Amino acid sequence: MEDTRPSPEELLTRMKQNEVDRNTGKLKIFLGYAAGVGKTYAMLEAAQQAKSLGTDVVVGYIEQHPRPETTALLEGLDRIPARRISYKGKIFKELDIDAIIKRNPELVLIDELAHTNVPTMRHIKRFGDVEELLARGINVYTTVNIQHIESLHDLVEEITGVKVREHIPDYIIDHAHIKLVDIEPDELIERLNQGKIYQPKQAEKALKLFFRKENLVALREVALRRAADTIFHHKIQQKNSVDPCVHVEEHILVGISSSPTNAKVIRTAARLAQALHGKFTALYVQRIEESESNIAYPQRLQQHIKLTEQLGGHVVIVQENDIAEAIANYAQISGVTELVIGRTAMKKKWRGPYSKIGDKINDYMPNLSIHIVPDEENEPIRFSGVMPQIQLEWLDILKTVIVFGCVSLIGLFFFANGLKESNIITIYILGVLIIATWTNGWIMSIISSLMAVLTFNFLFTEPRFSFEAYRPDYLMTFIIMFLSGFITSSLTRKVKAQAVAAVRKSYRMEVLLETNRKLQHAKSVNEIINEGMSQIIKLVERPAVFFKIDNNLIVNSVFFKTNSMTDLENKEIATLFDNASERGVVTWAASNLHIAGMTTDIFPEAQAYYLPIVSGGDVKGIIGIALSKEYPLPEFERHILHAIINDFSFAIDKWYLQKINQVVAREAELEQMRADLLRAISHDLRTPLTSISGNADILLTNGERINNREKEQLYQDIYNNSKWLVQMVENLLAVSRLEDGHFALEMQPELVEDVIQEALQHSVPLNNTHKISYHIVPELLFAQMDARLIIQVIINIIDNALTYTPSGSEITLKVVEGHNDINFSIIDNGPGIEDSLKTKLFNPFITGKEQRTDSRRGLGLGLALCQTILKLHGSELTVMDNDPTGTIFSFPLKKGAINFNE
């Protein structure tokens, strides 16, 4: 199964690569081909030059050198004292990364990049410390020799005969600025003889081993080639960023196994991919009938997978019995151009089908280039899973006796009824098949096949009831019977094992698909967390904790137990996560956006495996899985877990994106409402103000010539227009409560009758000609509302009813208690509203007759404001026809409860 989705490590790496340059430190590596070429001297010289240009430079860690010219370059540079660590009764000096982070310089000098730290430190290797400093924006100068580069490990060992145990991943070299420190081999040997590199005894020994001239010449050539490849790699990256189609990419494939020679094969493939500037993929073929627990050397397999990832390769896991066919199929589908496989001395001597895997692949894909890596390294042959298969269990023996007892009785019945021996033989083969299905271990296939032959011989061949046979053809019958029973039982066991493996694989895939489905339907962050964590527990069958993170700090944590353990075991594991050191690992993982804990190179002594959940570039949570060193998570399950983590992150991303979209939509809606209000002011205020100013001007200029009746009419018009303006101001005051994009609602239970009476006080005019009444059932009703706004809603609706119904019409306010709501209705018996206007009635500037122009009266602003207020209350204003004539405006409000004990 190939999972094309990126793993959490790849996602985090991409995020780091996409960060702004000013937030990421620059790494400069001073590379040499051997000790003594002057790497530290060149680094200190460059540091002094940077300091003279005003750069804040500190010395993080420098190895002690006997050369005075090197020591002299340390003068004037601030130094961070080395951290003294006690381990197994000894004192070690290590890089104090926390002191450097606290000091926060622009540039730090760190010697010996490939150094292995004391196990109690948070990073296994010093390059892990360097990566953390770079992630915090601190530039680093460091030194390393060519023999420590992972992909060149085997090549250097072949040249020098010396096994180098400290390695650094190639990606560090590929993404760094390389300064090659080079001198002639003869000059290096002269410096060694002068005692400038080692003490005299060490120098004499080094000259006979590592520092032979032919070795130095070869190492120098390797260093020059590696530096050139790095420069070319940077150029290709720059060209690809401008034109992705600048060249056709090669695709190199290598097979992963637990063989001790496989590491060399992987490194060879990595060097080939580097030389061809192509993509590097490693394929692990897990046999279908082979479980993760009985793989030979599982720890070594994990190391080879980790080595592939460090060398920049992508690991793919498939399940197939035929390894050659699986490799060929993947190569054909994925466009592989080069295949690298290994051939050890053991395989050259072992002339079985496995030794011809290269020939089988060549038969499947004759046009594929195959590179065979020879290696004389050997190990004893290990038959994994053999011992469990040859162990006998009393229960299996009892089952066998029962089955053959039944089969023998059936055979005797057939024999007594005159059936032929061939029918009886078939019954015994059926018994062998039943035993193969019912028992464990292929040793039972041999025993059951042999027992079938002996029982048949004893009961049915002449002379009967003895193990002798008179007829010469019985020997061939017994052989065929034994082989038939053994082959059929073996095939049955193989089908049984494949069925079990298929169920396990189907279960894993079902967990992944179910996770995607459940996360898609989750409605909240808590639901996403619960669903995602339950699926993770189902996959790994280990307890886990979700740490909610805010600003890189733990807000809270939720423990998820597994049903595969007892409650006591779950509680014991839960206490491990409360440890201060474990929470320190969680905080570090959140701050650095990096996987940490058990089975990793960061805090490997932790009690759990910690994975960050990243959304929008920030860590929203950390998942801690309580793994064990004895039973680490198999690689196939690890791939499924990473896919689940991806779905987890995408679901949280989607939820936060939806929340952001809702906020944006709400802000857009409020902005539109502000614009509508401005337009409403220009429409609704212009006409009444013009009328008031015109009437006032008439009274001022021609007051003496106007009779009293006309004056009263002008006064009445001024009064009516003023009252209209007062109503408009009330609407505007209600809307003015909009603060910072949100209504500041003061929700509390209110007595409905009080609200209605206050609304009628403000809405019924002095010269009212309408019949206005209200009915509340039951009388004592409380509704949850902002009373000031709901009063404004009722006033606006009544005002519209007064405006659009003739004198003498009835207007009734009816309030009825519902199941969960209080239903308000304002009913009139006027002419009603046309159906064509009902759909847009609550839009601004819509009147009961036509779209507004400059008319003063109408349903323009009032009903639109009512709808907005009610939506903020979680309600909605609706309109329908009254029977026989008129209109009904309705809206519900939630019931309010009064606590009389307060």
Side-chain angles (χ1 to χ4, degrees), residues 262-310:
N262 191 238
K264 180 178 181 180
V265 178
I266 294 171
R267 293 189 187 99
T268 302
R271 290 198 299 270
L272 180 62
Q274 190 178 70
L276 297 176
H277 308 288
K279 186 168 64 172
F280 174 33
T281 302
L283 180 69
Y284 170 55
V285 182
Q286 179 184 344
R287 294 178 182 271
I288 294 178
E289 69 271 12
E290 180 181 56
S291 65
E292 296 275 4
S293 59
N294 62 13
I295 298 173
Y297 303 102
Q299 291 184 348
R300 188 186 294 159
L301 176 63
Q302 296 293 332
Q303 291 172 359
H304 293 166
I305 291 174
K306 184 177 179 180
L307 173 63
T308 302
E309 293 173 345
Q310 287 183 342

XYZ file of all heavy atoms in Angstrom, residues 262-310:
397
model
N 22.112 -4.204 3.932
C 21.157 -3.313 3.298
C 21.509 -1.847 3.485
O 21.195 -1.015 2.628
C 19.747 -3.593 3.844
C 18.653 -2.911 3.061
O 17.887 -2.129 3.601
N 18.580 -3.187 1.766
N 22.155 -1.500 4.606
C 22.535 -0.102 4.838
C 23.475 0.380 3.743
O 23.369 1.512 3.263
C 23.187 0.050 6.210
N 24.407 -0.497 3.338
C 25.330 -0.117 2.268
C 24.592 0.067 0.948
O 24.885 0.992 0.179
C 26.407 -1.183 2.112
C 27.409 -0.869 1.019
C 28.496 -1.930 0.928
C 29.495 -1.575 -0.172
N 30.572 -2.590 -0.285
N 23.615 -0.784 0.692
C 22.819 -0.667 -0.537
C 22.055 0.656 -0.546
O 21.997 1.347 -1.573
C 21.856 -1.867 -0.660
C 20.998 -1.733 -1.910
C 22.631 -3.176 -0.690
N 21.494 1.018 0.592
C 20.733 2.272 0.680
C 21.649 3.466 0.446
O 21.290 4.408 -0.272
C 20.033 2.364 2.056
C 18.961 1.277 2.178
C 19.413 3.736 2.266
C 18.376 1.156 3.566
N 22.827 3.453 1.059
C 23.762 4.572 0.867
C 24.212 4.663 -0.589
O 24.371 5.770 -1.125
C 24.966 4.401 1.790
C 24.641 4.527 3.270
C 25.910 4.558 4.093
N 25.622 4.514 5.525
C 25.682 3.411 6.265
N 26.061 2.274 5.707
N 25.389 3.452 7.546
N 24.423 3.515 -1.232
C 24.817 3.531 -2.649
C 23.715 4.146 -3.502
O 23.978 4.950 -4.401
C 25.108 2.097 -3.125
O 26.133 1.523 -2.305
C 25.552 2.088 -4.573
N 22.471 3.769 -3.220
C 21.344 4.343 -3.962
C 21.239 5.843 -3.720
O 20.942 6.615 -4.646
C 20.048 3.639 -3.556
N 21.483 6.277 -2.480
C 21.428 7.711 -2.164
C 22.504 8.472 -2.922
O 22.265 9.575 -3.433
C 21.582 7.915 -0.666
N 23.718 7.899 -2.992
C 24.787 8.569 -3.755
C 24.444 8.628 -5.240
O 24.718 9.629 -5.919
C 26.113 7.837 -3.558
C 26.700 7.978 -2.169
C 28.178 7.632 -2.155
N 28.424 6.259 -2.560
C 28.457 5.219 -1.723
N 28.234 5.405 -0.430
N 28.697 4.006 -2.164
N 23.827 7.566 -5.757
C 23.415 7.566 -7.165
C 22.356 8.630 -7.418
O 22.419 9.366 -8.426
C 22.889 6.180 -7.541
C 22.418 6.001 -8.989
C 23.581 6.222 -9.959
C 21.836 4.610 -9.199
N 21.382 8.736 -6.509
C 20.342 9.761 -6.653
C 20.944 11.152 -6.579
O 20.526 12.071 -7.291
C 19.277 9.581 -5.562
N 21.953 11.302 -5.726
C 22.606 12.606 -5.590
C 23.394 12.950 -6.851
O 23.352 14.086 -7.335
C 23.525 12.569 -4.376
C 24.082 13.923 -3.977
C 24.935 13.795 -2.734
O 26.024 13.222 -2.794
N 24.448 14.307 -1.625
N 24.081 11.951 -7.400
C 24.871 12.198 -8.609
C 23.971 12.508 -9.802
O 24.310 13.343 -10.642
C 25.752 10.985 -8.902
N 22.819 11.832 -9.887
C 21.894 12.041 -11.003
C 20.892 13.148 -10.724
O 20.073 13.466 -11.596
C 21.135 10.739 -11.297
C 21.988 9.540 -11.747
C 21.118 8.300 -11.916
C 22.722 9.852 -13.045
N 20.933 13.685 -9.478
C 20.008 14.742 -9.067
C 18.558 14.302 -9.277
O 17.738 15.021 -9.834
C 20.287 16.037 -9.831
C 21.723 16.451 -9.773
N 22.308 16.954 -8.632
C 22.713 16.378 -10.708
C 23.587 17.201 -8.865
N 23.860 16.857 -10.107
N 18.289 13.065 -8.810
C 16.970 12.490 -9.012
C 16.247 12.215 -7.711
O 16.736 12.493 -6.617
N 15.058 11.654 -7.841
C 14.233 11.299 -6.689
C 14.650 9.933 -6.168
O 15.000 9.042 -6.938
C 12.755 11.295 -7.107
C 11.788 11.075 -5.960
C 10.355 11.382 -6.370
C 9.864 10.435 -7.444
N 8.426 10.602 -7.723
N 14.592 9.779 -4.855
C 15.096 8.578 -4.190
C 13.959 7.935 -3.403
O 13.405 8.549 -2.497
C 16.270 8.972 -3.280
C 16.800 7.861 -2.415
C 16.788 6.544 -2.846
C 17.316 8.136 -1.164
C 17.271 5.532 -2.049
C 17.803 7.133 -0.352
C 17.783 5.825 -0.797
N 13.611 6.684 -3.756
C 12.528 5.964 -3.088
C 13.039 4.623 -2.600
O 13.806 3.949 -3.298
C 11.337 5.743 -4.039
O 10.866 7.000 -4.519
C 10.199 5.030 -3.332
N 12.617 4.238 -1.405
C 12.969 2.934 -0.838
C 11.688 2.135 -0.638
O 10.709 2.639 -0.091
C 13.699 3.105 0.490
N 11.695 0.884 -1.106
C 10.512 0.033 -1.067
C 10.743 -1.134 -0.105
O 11.743 -1.852 -0.217
C 10.196 -0.499 -2.464
C 8.970 -1.406 -2.598
C 7.703 -0.599 -2.377
C 8.943 -2.077 -3.967
N 9.832 -1.278 0.854
C 9.888 -2.440 1.749
C 8.718 -3.352 1.414
O 7.560 -2.937 1.471
C 9.821 -2.007 3.213
C 9.638 -3.173 4.167
C 10.533 -4.238 4.154
C 8.578 -3.202 5.050
C 10.365 -5.309 5.004
C 8.409 -4.271 5.921
C 9.294 -5.329 5.891
O 9.131 -6.382 6.730
N 9.014 -4.597 1.053
C 7.994 -5.579 0.710
C 7.802 -6.500 1.907
O 8.699 -7.282 2.241
C 8.383 -6.383 -0.544
C 7.271 -7.362 -0.897
C 8.675 -5.453 -1.713
N 6.667 -6.390 2.540
C 6.334 -7.267 3.659
C 5.496 -8.421 3.140
O 4.469 -8.225 2.495
C 5.556 -6.504 4.728
C 5.161 -7.358 5.919
C 4.308 -6.597 6.917
O 4.261 -5.384 6.881
N 3.632 -7.316 7.780
N 5.951 -9.642 3.408
C 5.203 -10.809 2.965
C 3.839 -10.840 3.653
O 3.721 -10.530 4.842
C 5.976 -12.084 3.261
C 7.274 -12.208 2.446
C 8.018 -13.466 2.828
N 9.265 -13.566 2.083
C 9.377 -14.146 0.899
N 8.324 -14.697 0.334
N 10.540 -14.203 0.271
N 2.824 -11.245 2.900
C 1.458 -11.204 3.416
C 1.291 -12.107 4.621
O 0.670 -11.744 5.615
C 0.462 -11.602 2.306
C 0.479 -10.550 1.193
C -0.952 -11.757 2.868
C -0.423 -10.866 0.051
N 1.881 -13.321 4.558
C 1.701 -14.253 5.671
C 2.646 -13.963 6.821
O 2.619 -14.625 7.849
C 1.902 -15.699 5.204
C 3.338 -16.049 4.827
C 3.629 -15.766 3.351
O 2.802 -15.109 2.700
O 4.679 -16.199 2.865
N 3.497 -12.941 6.671
C 4.480 -12.622 7.692
C 3.985 -11.441 8.523
O 3.713 -10.372 8.000
C 5.815 -12.274 7.021
C 6.921 -11.924 7.998
C 8.199 -11.568 7.258
O 8.157 -10.666 6.417
O 9.221 -12.192 7.539
N 3.857 -11.628 9.816
C 3.406 -10.549 10.694
C 4.583 -9.672 11.060
O 5.735 -10.056 10.925
C 2.763 -11.117 11.959
O 3.719 -11.815 12.727
N 4.273 -8.486 11.583
C 5.335 -7.548 11.971
C 6.183 -8.101 13.106
O 7.345 -7.760 13.241
C 4.699 -6.212 12.404
C 3.954 -5.484 11.309
C 4.866 -4.623 10.471
O 6.085 -4.666 10.700
O 4.354 -3.918 9.590
N 5.595 -8.971 13.931
C 6.308 -9.436 15.112
C 7.367 -10.474 14.817
O 8.289 -10.648 15.601
C 5.298 -10.012 16.113
O 4.577 -11.080 15.516
N 7.267 -11.210 13.680
C 8.266 -12.234 13.416
C 9.190 -11.880 12.262
O 9.802 -12.738 11.641
C 7.590 -13.594 13.151
C 6.680 -13.570 11.929
O 6.716 -12.642 11.145
N 5.860 -14.595 11.786
N 9.321 -10.593 11.939
C 10.309 -10.149 10.962
C 11.696 -10.308 11.573
O 11.915 -9.979 12.736
C 10.072 -8.680 10.567
C 8.703 -8.543 9.899
C 11.158 -8.183 9.641
C 8.322 -7.122 9.625
N 12.634 -10.821 10.763
C 13.993 -10.976 11.270
C 14.619 -9.623 11.537
O 14.593 -8.749 10.673
C 14.831 -11.757 10.247
N 15.154 -9.457 12.735
C 15.840 -8.242 13.143
C 14.980 -7.001 12.899
O 15.304 -6.143 12.071
C 17.170 -8.097 12.400
C 18.081 -9.278 12.587
C 18.222 -10.241 11.589
C 18.799 -9.433 13.763
C 19.058 -11.330 11.756
C 19.641 -10.526 13.942
C 19.758 -11.472 12.939
O 20.583 -12.544 13.124
N 13.849 -6.854 13.579
C 12.964 -5.696 13.353
C 13.634 -4.373 13.691
O 13.358 -3.363 13.048
C 11.772 -5.978 14.276
C 12.285 -6.920 15.316
C 13.323 -7.749 14.640
N 14.528 -4.357 14.697
C 15.203 -3.101 15.046
C 16.100 -2.634 13.907
O 16.178 -1.454 13.598
C 16.012 -3.283 16.327
C 15.158 -3.471 17.572
C 15.990 -3.563 18.829
O 17.209 -3.703 18.778
N 15.332 -3.489 19.971
N 16.772 -3.591 13.278
C 17.634 -3.230 12.151
C 16.806 -2.711 10.984
O 17.213 -1.768 10.290
C 18.460 -4.444 11.722
C 19.523 -4.106 10.668
C 20.213 -5.347 10.183
N 20.987 -5.953 11.262
C 21.357 -7.231 11.274
N 20.987 -8.032 10.294
N 22.072 -7.712 12.271
N 15.640 -3.300 10.771
C 14.750 -2.817 9.719
C 14.338 -1.373 9.997
O 14.329 -0.535 9.085
C 13.523 -3.719 9.627
C 12.443 -3.295 8.633
C 12.976 -3.315 7.217
C 11.211 -4.184 8.755
N 13.996 -1.075 11.255
C 13.635 0.293 11.620
C 14.806 1.243 11.385
O 14.618 2.382 10.936
C 13.202 0.347 13.097
C 11.954 -0.452 13.422
C 10.714 0.112 12.777
O 10.639 1.308 12.521
N 9.737 -0.733 12.504
N 16.019 0.797 11.678
C 17.207 1.625 11.453
C 17.391 1.917 9.972
O 17.756 3.040 9.585
C 18.443 0.931 12.013
C 18.476 0.843 13.533
C 19.605 -0.017 14.037
O 20.380 -0.574 13.253
N 19.715 -0.150 15.362
N 17.131 0.922 9.121
C 17.298 1.129 7.674
C 16.234 2.087 7.131
O 16.517 2.900 6.252
C 17.226 -0.217 6.949
C 18.383 -1.115 7.260
N 18.396 -2.455 6.952
C 19.583 -0.854 7.854
C 19.541 -2.979 7.343
N 20.275 -2.034 7.888
N 15.013 2.004 7.657
C 13.967 2.938 7.246
C 14.337 4.358 7.684
O 14.183 5.320 6.922
C 12.612 2.506 7.841
C 12.138 1.212 7.179
C 11.562 3.604 7.669
C 10.891 0.631 7.785
N 14.839 4.472 8.895
C 15.261 5.782 9.399
C 16.434 6.323 8.588
O 16.497 7.521 8.275
C 15.643 5.653 10.870
C 16.012 6.967 11.534
C 16.295 6.747 13.007
C 16.702 8.033 13.689
N 16.983 7.823 15.121
N 17.377 5.440 8.218
C 18.517 5.851 7.393
C 18.035 6.393 6.047
O 18.539 7.416 5.560
C 19.450 4.658 7.187
C 20.608 4.853 6.206
C 21.550 5.939 6.709
C 21.359 3.547 5.990
N 17.063 5.731 5.459
C 16.519 6.190 4.175
C 15.939 7.591 4.301
O 16.167 8.453 3.441
C 15.434 5.212 3.691
O 15.994 3.905 3.574
C 14.877 5.647 2.347
N 15.180 7.837 5.361
C 14.581 9.157 5.556
C 15.650 10.217 5.794
O 15.523 11.346 5.323
C 13.609 9.105 6.733
C 12.382 8.232 6.451
C 11.505 8.036 7.670
O 11.995 8.333 8.790
O 10.349 7.591 7.528
N 16.722 9.866 6.521
C 17.807 10.821 6.749
C 18.530 11.172 5.455
O 19.005 12.288 5.288
C 18.803 10.252 7.753
C 18.299 10.238 9.192
C 19.338 9.725 10.154
O 20.309 9.081 9.762
N 19.146 10.000 11.438
